[in-house]
Each structure stands twice: as structure tokens, then as C-alpha cells.
Amino acid sequence: MCPICKNEKNVIKRGFYRRPSDQKKVQRYHCKICKISFSEQTFALDYRQQKRWFNQSCFVTLCSGVSQRRAAYIFRVVPRTIARRVKKFGEICEQNLCKYRDQRAKVNEVEFDELESFIHTKLKPVTIPIAVEKKTRKVLALSIGNIGAKGHLKKISLQKYGRRPSERMLALKSMAKDLQTCTAPKARLRSDKCPLYPKLVRDYFSEATHYTCKGSRGAVVGLGELKKTIFDPIFTLNHTYAMFRDNLKTLSRRTWATAKRKDGLLLLLNIYAWFHNLWLDRKRIKIKLEVFTV
Ligand SMILES: [Zn+2]
């Protein structure tokens, strides 16, 4: 398929080249309309990479509670290499999630809520709305936005970093918009009793039924969101949150490895979300990051 006109008809084969890094023979193609040449590598995960041998293990490692710097140490590469992989993987995983939403059967039961974390310091908190399918625990949509600090940190945050405009509604809307594509019209949505949610549901899912239940803040110690003794109506969601926190180093509580930028954290979130969905497919031995095609 041509990368510009996205057409297959006018593409012809045009020789090979030997890749210097591992001597692999790569097929070249040519599009007769756009007059451009490309190869099978153009769409590959390891396009223009030198160290392609550690891509898969890097993907799994980053989703196993290992920081980027430690991953660099494990694979004996410089941290910049890992940072580049995170960018590449993050983009691929985001596209994969998007395609997955488009091609999967419509979901009937969804749970959504917001996970709170921070960028660089607790004075700069962010909210991470995540929607999961109740039955399979698969992540359907996620987003991220800045929010203001709460409690005693509010004053210090204002002094140090000025007013931070709240992007909470923006993030929620972006999540809802993505979620819309894969939800059945008469779906059942579950969340806690946050006052912002009913309007969100009315705007984006007009025919859906919205159930709210009493939510509680996750504990800082122990398993956070999971540490409860009473019956939890949005267990699926809190279980997923606990998995996010456990497997993404930057989200774990009381961590040293803090996220440095919002876009960087979003990349990691997408990587983990995709890994999580693959993990739930029960083909764990074969977990492999690929460009997802339908
Ligand atoms: Zn073309």
C-alpha cells in the first residue's frame, strides 16, 4: 500500500536492498501515481532503527514496573534510545487502540472514572480518565489533563507554579468522544457520584443508562484503589487502576520516577493500555507489539 495515496493498485515491486544492520533482504516498492519509492520497512515497527533486537523485550519491560532509566541499564543502551522507543511505541499503541475500538463489537457495559497522578511534583497534579469494559476489563479509552492542586498543597502550588487552568472537562470529553465509537447506543455506564459525569453522559451517550455508585478515594498505602473491604460496584475499574499503578513506574505511589511531561505520560499510558489488552487476551506467551491491522 502506498504511504501517500493509500492505494494498492498502482504499486509495483522494484528490487531489494540489504539492510546493513542485520543483513535482511528488504523488498522495495514503487507507486506509479505518486512516483515515490518505499519498502516493506516503511510501515514496520523498527523503521529507521539500529537496535531492533530489543524492541519486544523493551515493550514488555516498560509495562512491568520498570523505569525508563533502569530499562536503559538493563538493555545496555543510552536513556535517549529508550525515550525514542517510548515515543514510537506510544504512537503505535494509540493507533492500535483506535483501530481496536473501530473494529470490535459494540460494548454494552462500561465503567469509567478518573485516576489521579502528577507531573514532576505533587503540586502539578493531572487527571487521567479511563474507560474499561466491565466484562473483559479491557481498556477502551483514556485521556489526560492538568488539574489544580487540592488541600494544603493548593496554596503552595499557586505560589510556585501560578494558576493551572483545569483541563478536567477537556480530558473527560476527549475520553468520551473516543468511547462513543465503540459503545452500543443503549449501553450501561457506571461511574462514581462525581457531579460532572451526568452531564457528560447526557451529552455523549444520550440513550445510555448511567448508574452511579458511592466512590471513595484510593488509599495511598497498600494497593490504593483496591484496598477496600466492602463490596465495590466498580471493581473492574479499580482493578484496572491498580494494575496501571503497579505496572507503570511513573504511576506507582510514592515513586521516585516521576513523569516529566504530560505528553510523555500519555505515551506511556497508551503503551500500557495496549499491553493490558494484549495481556487479557490470554495469549501471554505471545505478547508482541505489532502495528495492528484489521
Ligand atoms: Zn501512491
Side-chain angles (χ1 to χ4, degrees):
M1 194 174 83
C2 170
I4 295 179
C5 63
K6 313 275 178 211
N7 209 326
E8 264 172 48
K9 278 179 193 164
N10 300 294
V11 172
I12 51 161
K13 284 185 181 174
R14 201 196 233 186
F16 290 96
Y17 72 92
R18 280 250 182 229
R19 191 157 75 186
S21 61
D22 60 353
Q23 304 303 310
K24 196 195 162 200
K25 213 174 168 189
V26 181
Q27 175 76 56
R28 275 203 170 119
Y29 298 98
H30 177 76
C31 176
K32 286 197 274 186
I33 293 185
C34 313
K35 307 265 188 253
I36 57 146
S37 287
F38 54 98
S39 74
E40 55 181 321
Q41 262 307 101
T42 313
F43 312 100
L45 177 75
D46 51 5
Y47 178 52
R48 289 187 172 162
Q49 285 177 4
Q50 298 293 321
K51 298 186 174 70
R52 32 177 72 83
W53 50 268
F54 84 110
N55 274 340
Q56 295 305 332
S57 32
C58 180
F59 172 58
V60 176
T61 307
L62 286 172
C63 299
S64 312
V66 176
S67 67
Q68 290 186 43
R69 276 159 205 265
R70 183 54 59 89
Y73 175 74
I74 293 173
F75 297 112
R76 304 290 193 272
V77 295
V78 287
R80 193 178 56 225
T81 309
I82 302 287
R84 286 192 186 133
R85 290 297 188 276
V86 167
K87 186 155 189 287
K88 180 96 186 177
F89 292 173
E91 282 160 5
I92 290 173
C93 291
E94 192 184 353
Q95 288 163 13
N96 284 0
L97 267 177
C98 188
K99 282 180 203 157
Y100 168 73
R101 278 195 295 267
D102 289 343
Q103 64 106 53
R104 61 152 297 142
K106 299 282 180 220
V107 189
N108 283 315
E109 285 199 82
V110 181
E111 293 181 0
F112 70 94
D113 197 5
E114 287 160 278
L115 181 83
E116 270 175 33
S117 186
F118 56 90
I119 304 289
H120 171 222
T121 135
K122 282 217 157 175
L123 299 175
K124 295 193 264 181
V126 286
T127 181
I128 304 163
I130 302 180
V132 297
E133 183 183 6
K134 186 176 157 66
K135 208 172 116 202
T136 59
R137 300 210 316 265
K138 282 194 176 182
V139 177
L140 298 171
L142 60 87
S143 171
I144 188 169
N146 290 331
I147 48 171
K150 284 182 201 150
H152 68 286
L153 293 174
K154 199 171 174 180
K155 218 174 126 192
I156 314 170
S157 173
L158 266 173
Q159 276 172 357
K160 236 176 158 176
Y161 300 105
R163 219 181 82 79
R164 285 158 57 81
S166 173
E167 295 167 358
R168 194 166 171 205
M169 218 46 227
L170 224 69
L172 277 169
K173 277 181 185 165
S174 142
M175 187 269 293
K177 208 174 159 208
D178 285 345
L179 186 60
Q180 236 179 1
T181 57
C182 66
T183 323
K186 292 210 164 76
R188 290 183 292 279
L189 278 76
R190 255 167 246 270
S191 70
D192 61 17
K193 280 194 169 132
C194 171
L196 289 176
Y197 296 162
K199 188 173 185 305
L200 186 83
V201 173
R202 254 181 282 131
D203 288 354
Y204 285 87
F205 312 94
S206 50
E207 286 176 63
T209 334
H210 185 202
Y211 300 94
T212 54
C213 53
K214 204 167 141 261
S216 52
R217 285 278 139 236
V220 179
V221 287
L223 272 172
E225 280 82 359
L226 267 194
K227 197 173 179 175
K228 279 172 201 136
T229 44
I230 48 160
F231 172 71
D232 184 3
I234 47 172
F235 172 78
T236 306
L237 190 83
N238 285 325
H239 187 278
T240 309
Y241 280 3
M243 281 190 81
F244 264 80
R245 283 211 193 274
D246 189 37
N247 290 313
L248 271 185
K249 185 71 182 170
T250 43
L251 288 188
S252 17
R253 293 180 185 269
R254 300 199 169 160
T255 179
W256 270 19
T258 59
K260 303 297 182 285
R261 272 165 53 188
K262 204 174 66 176
D263 49 349
L265 182 56
L266 182 61
L267 290 171
L268 280 172
L269 287 166
N270 277 317
I271 293 174
Y272 183 71
W274 186 244
F275 177 86
H276 184 83
N277 287 1
L278 291 176
W279 179 262
L280 292 174
D281 278 337
R282 309 276 158 188
K283 290 177 197 151
R284 285 172 199 177
I285 207 107
K286 289 186 204 145
I287 283 187
K288 204 175 164 205
L289 177 63
E290 284 169 312
V291 184
F292 185 60
T293 44
V294 201

